[in-house]
């Protein structure tokens, strides 16, 4: 069963990190993801580019319209997401708790929809 | 021609593995060696022709790989230590593939099943190891069947074999006083394999090994090996009777068709006849367990020419019995459907209300779906619609979500 683990960031949180804190979290996250890859549970781990890099695409009267910036200006924005393939929700929650970011913020866990006829 | 080789190799796999483990022990290393021998057969037999003694060929190749592996693992050890680890000294001549008397041809399938379903293993590990060692499926086939990465399955199988080694589980049938309980675990594993196949068979993935067919094949073998056992027969009957619905389960657009709406002319009459005969015989002979009761319920459904002709009072009586011997809230939920048919929706809604206090099921989408169904029967369309929409939000199955949203949409006002 696949789950997505989402980490949201905000300016206040990011600026409260020192450079050392940040490097530590990066190193710990790498180790965490390496362990997941070894156990076969990691499908992918992705950092999402900053809001300043975001573009919006919409078709307006048949013409593509591209604007800069996020869809909604919010204080919270998607910073990274990880997809895991695990035996149960409990295991997904365990992995979320082991994520270094869980110590300083929230890690959101959502199941991914699938094609099986019943919940598996 | 190549498909027949594949089928033959799957049949032979557990027999080859059994022969090797019986001779050498080292279940985990033997299992690896057998996998390599099967792979060698897949590549060589189509080119050089099939050997006269296929099983002997596989045993020879596998035992060579095994001894190579054990030797390289103990490279630092002295040669005598390696020989001592094996029953037969390697200095004797290589085993004669035609020498069936020495290797024996006992059917070790039952022993293998018990080993692969060892209680110390997690359910996914039991499933993967059973499909590999007894079913003869490759790691890739198992991964594709369960829609998980191949590395995940590989890891599960490795860890499972390590656990079995660490537990020093012997290659023998469990002791008499444990056998019934261990058999229950085997049945549960086969049931899970069948369910996995049945649940995913409606999806767009056509390149996968057919897990329902595999589960039925293994259940047939078990029934042959343990004849006269009620629950074994019951599980096989349940699988056959359920699989009979397969041709009618999906609509032309790929949507799910529930039992009451299925075109029964499409049901497989042969599977139904076999399943009904099996459960009838089993119920007459032995004390009754949960798989037998579920099979009996399925038989009543399958014998009804149309949904309207279903003998619901008999189904309710069977669910009453089933509920007494299992504590499963899903059983209570299924029984509620029968209650609605026999006593009306209000009585069924009372059952639902009682289940809301059961944590195991209170947030499950099927509870809301059932509530919606009974509310619709009772004529309360707005409440039914709300319940179906809540159920649709709670499921992670896309086909199921589509079905539930459809039920809600049919109840839109106006």
């Amino acid at each position: 069963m696949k789950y997505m683990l989402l980490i949201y960031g905000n300016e206040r949180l990011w600026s409260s990190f020192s450079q050392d804190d940040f490097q530590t979290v990066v190193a710990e996250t790498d180790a965490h993801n390496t362990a997941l890859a070894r156990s076969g549970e990691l499908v992918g781990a992705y950092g999402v580019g900053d809001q300043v890099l975001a573009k919006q695409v919409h078709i307006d009267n048949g013409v593509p319209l591209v604007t800069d910036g996020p869809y909604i200006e919010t204080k919270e924005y998607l910073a990274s997401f990880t997809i895991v393939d695990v035996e149960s929700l409990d295991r997904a929650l365990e992995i979320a708790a082991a994520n270094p970011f869980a110590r300083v913020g929230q890690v959101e866990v959502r199941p991914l929809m699938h094609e099986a006829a019943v919940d598996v | 021609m190549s498909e027949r080789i594949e089928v033959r190799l799957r049949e032979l796999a557990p027999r080859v593995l059994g022969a090797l483990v019986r001779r050498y022990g080292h279940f985990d290393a033997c299992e690896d060696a057998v996998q390599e021998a099967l792979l060698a057969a897949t590549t060589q037999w189509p080119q050089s022709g099939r050997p006269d003694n296929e099983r002997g060929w596989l045993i020879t190749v596998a035992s060579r790989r095994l001894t190579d592996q054990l030797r390289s693992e103990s490279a630092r050890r002295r040669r005598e230590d390696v020989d001592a680890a094996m029953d037969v000294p390697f200095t004797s001549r290589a085993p004669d593939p035609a020498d069936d008397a020495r290797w024996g041809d006992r059917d070790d399938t039952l022993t293998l099943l018990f080993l692969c379903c060892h209680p110390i293993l997690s359910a996914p590990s039991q499933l993967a190891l059973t499909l590999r060692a007894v079913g003869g499926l490759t790691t890739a086939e198992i991964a594709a069947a369960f829609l998980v990465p191949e590395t995940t399955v590989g890891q599960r199988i490795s860890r499972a074999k390590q656990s079995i080694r660490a537990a020093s589980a012997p290659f023998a049938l469990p002791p008499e006083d444990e056998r019934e309980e261990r058999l229950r675990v085997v049945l549960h594993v086969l049931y899970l394999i069948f369910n996995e196949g049945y649940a995913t068979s409606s999806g767009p993935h056509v390149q996968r090994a057919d897990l329902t067919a595999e589960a039925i094949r293994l259940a047939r073998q078990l029934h042959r090996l343990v004849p006269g056992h009620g629950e074994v027969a019951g599980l096989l009957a349940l699988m056959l009777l359920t699989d009979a619905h397969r041709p009618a389960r999906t609509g032309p657009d790929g949507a799910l068709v529930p039992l009451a709406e299925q075109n029964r002319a499409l049901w497989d009459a042969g599977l139904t006849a076999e399943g009904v005969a099996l459960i009838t015989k089993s119920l007459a002979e032995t004390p009754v367990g949960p798989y037998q009761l579920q099979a009996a319920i399925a038989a009543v459904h399958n014998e009804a020419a149309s949904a309207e002709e279903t003998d619901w009072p008999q189904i309710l009586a069977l669910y009453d019995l089933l509920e007494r011997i299992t504590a499963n809230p899903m059983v209570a939920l299924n029984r509620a459907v029968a209650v609605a048919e026999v006593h009306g929706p209000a009585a069924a809604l009372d059952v639902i209300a009682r289940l809301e206090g059961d944590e195991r099921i209170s947030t499950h989408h099927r509870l809301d779906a059932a509530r919606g169904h009974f509310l619709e029967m009772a004529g309360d369309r707005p409440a039914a619609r709300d319940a179906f929409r809540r159920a649709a939000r709670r499921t992670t199955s896309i086909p199921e979500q589509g079905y539930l949203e459809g039920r809600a949409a049919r109840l839109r006002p106006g």
Side-chain angles (χ1 to χ4, degrees), chain B residues 21-39:
Chain B
V21 179
R22 211 168 265 295
R23 171 60 58 103
Y24 296 118
H26 297 275
F27 170 73
D28 51 341
C30 285
E31 207 279 319
D32 283 333
V34 169
Q35 279 299 301
E36 290 183 44
L38 292 172
L39 191 57

Side-chain angles (χ1 to χ4, degrees), chain B residues 133 229 240 248 294 296 301 305 347 400:
Chain B
H229 192 289
L240 296 170
Q294 289 177 76
H301 276 297
E400 185 120 26

Side-chain angles (χ1 to χ4, degrees), chain B residues 252-335:
Chain B
D253 50 352
L256 273 184
V257 182
L259 195 68
E261 295 167 37
Q262 287 178 13
N263 178 0
R264 299 186 177 211
L266 297 176
W267 285 0
D268 188 319
L271 288 175
T272 291
E274 193 186 345
V276 167
L278 203 51
I279 188 60
T280 307
K281 182 164 183 284
S282 160
L283 286 172
E285 281 177 355
T286 56
V288 161
Y291 286 123
Q292 286 159 289
L293 288 172
Q294 289 177 76
I297 290 164
V300 175
H301 276 297
N302 282 33
E303 284 177 315
S306 68
E308 293 72 35
E309 289 163 78
T310 305
D311 188 346
W312 284 106
Q314 196 185 355
I315 290 179
L316 180 56
L318 288 164
Y319 269 118
D320 285 342
L321 282 172
L322 185 57
E323 205 181 21
R324 264 209 286 280
I325 61 174
T326 63
N328 189 335
M330 283 299 175
V331 169
L333 193 55
N334 291 338
R335 179 180 166 275

Side-chain angles (χ1 to χ4, degrees), chain B residues 366-401:
Chain B
R366 286 198 61 218
L367 192 65
D368 275 319
R371 188 189 287 109
H373 181 71
F374 303 144
L375 287 167
E376 185 175 353
M377 276 174 90
D380 189 346
R381 292 168 65 97
R385 181 156 179 265
D386 282 346
F388 280 126
R389 300 228 51 224
R390 265 199 316 274
R393 290 183 66 181
R394 284 206 159 276
T395 182
T396 55
S397 158
I398 294 169
E400 185 120 26
Q401 192 177 59

Side-chain angles (χ1 to χ4, degrees), chain A residues 10-19 21-22 77:
Chain A
N10 61 64
E11 278 311 313
R12 189 179 48 82
L13 189 63
W14 271 191
S15 52
S16 73
F17 272 137
S18 72
Q19 182 63 10
D21 289 341
F22 187 69
Y77 48 86

